Amino acid sequence: MFLINVFHHVALITLLIITLIGEYSYVTSFCHSNNNNVLHPSFQQRFERTTTCPASATDTFTNDDDTIEKKEVTTTIEVVLKMPDPLPNNLENEYYMLRHGQSTVNVAGIISSARSLAYTKKHGLTPLGYQQGMDSAEQLVKLLTEEEKEIVFVSSPFARAMETAQACLDGLRNNTSSNLKIDSNIRIEEDLMERYFGKLDGEVLSTYGYVWPVDMFNVTSTVFDVESVAAVAARLRRAILKLDREYEDSAIVLVSHADVLQICQLYGANADNVGLFSSYRFGNGEVRKMQRTPESLPEPKPLPPPTEMPLLNSEE
């Protein structure tokens, strides 16, 4: 019996070592900083497990030329140790997901997730982005299952999302071919905010490559103090359940950001691995209905690993 127990413990330890080596090998295949196959130094933080993200409890944003309304926004990033429970099978409403149109920060090619952007006019839509929001109205009308459902817009408090919600509303008002019931008020929901990208905020878009490969096999990772997939799913669940208590038989349009909506898409569909969300990209101004089964998901389009990762600004 003693030998059996010893063998059992050795086997478990061996399995753990193999798993850790496998994770490291997987990450290095995506995150080489040069052609000599050296792991980018900052990516070593992948193996540090943080329990808090550096941020004050709240930031108060005062009224000025760039502020829409004085609000107090929580900036502490929740750390979640596992995926939340699935959404209930029978929701009271239908949910549609609309990604914001092209924004000025899309054109600049940098990551924009700072909580200080909430309720300001910063990083809003370009003229093309507004047109994409207008055009999304036609997509939405085609996806609606019943025209008699009231359409309700619920938006992230970031300018690019709120302006897209307004543009889509404008597009619906111009649609004279349908007898639509539309709530003209745009509800703001902080749980739809952009995924927080921690130390990568303000970096070039290609630095997403430091995070998405890890998300694929660890939905609780907070590498670089980035908000985990599980944490985003947890706040999406909170938002949808709250909306489901307050509305009934409505078509609720969640206006948000790429990562948030892609996570919502897989989480809502009960996918086995929500961490694969980056293979289900939303285009600017694209609308999709939140379906409830894995079979309903579109064909995945996995992103190829980058051939070279950029240095972070702090390392240049």
Side-chain angles (χ1 to χ4, degrees), residues 119-174:
Y119 303 105
T120 75
K121 298 178 183 178
K122 295 177 181 176
H123 299 176
L125 296 181
T126 64
L128 172 60
Y130 177 79
Q131 186 59 52
Q132 289 170 334
M134 287 272 289
D135 294 342
S136 71
E138 184 176 351
Q139 296 179 56
L140 178 61
V141 170
K142 289 179 179 178
L143 289 173
L144 290 172
T145 57
E146 299 175 41
E147 285 191 4
E148 62 266 23
K149 288 183 183 291
E150 183 178 37
I151 301 172
V152 178
F153 284 86
V154 184
S155 174
S156 155
F158 281 27
R160 54 191 184 267
M162 293 188 290
E163 292 173 11
T164 300
Q166 185 60 57
C168 188
L169 261 174
D170 293 345
L172 289 175
R173 293 192 184 103
N174 292 340

Side-chain angles (χ1 to χ4, degrees), residues 85-97:
D85 292 336
L87 290 169
N89 289 328
N90 298 315
L91 293 172
E92 296 292 333
N93 305 282
E94 291 183 346
Y95 291 87
Y96 298 83
M97 302 169 290

Side-chain angles (χ1 to χ4, degrees), residues 226-281:
V226 172
E227 185 179 17
S228 72
V229 173
V232 174
R235 57 182 170 93
L236 284 167
R237 185 178 196 276
R238 185 164 58 235
I240 290 171
L241 292 183
K242 179 166 63 175
L243 293 168
D244 232 45
R245 289 192 297 269
E246 298 180 20
Y247 295 92
E248 184 177 358
D249 202 29
S250 296
I252 297 180
V253 184
L254 307 176
V255 189
S256 188
H257 311 265
D259 274 27
V260 176
L261 294 179
Q262 287 150 197
I263 291 170
C264 184
Q265 179 178 227
L266 268 67
Y267 171 60
N270 296 302
D272 290 335
N273 182 4
V274 179
L276 296 175
F277 70 89
S278 58
S279 295
Y280 299 85
R281 302 297 295 166

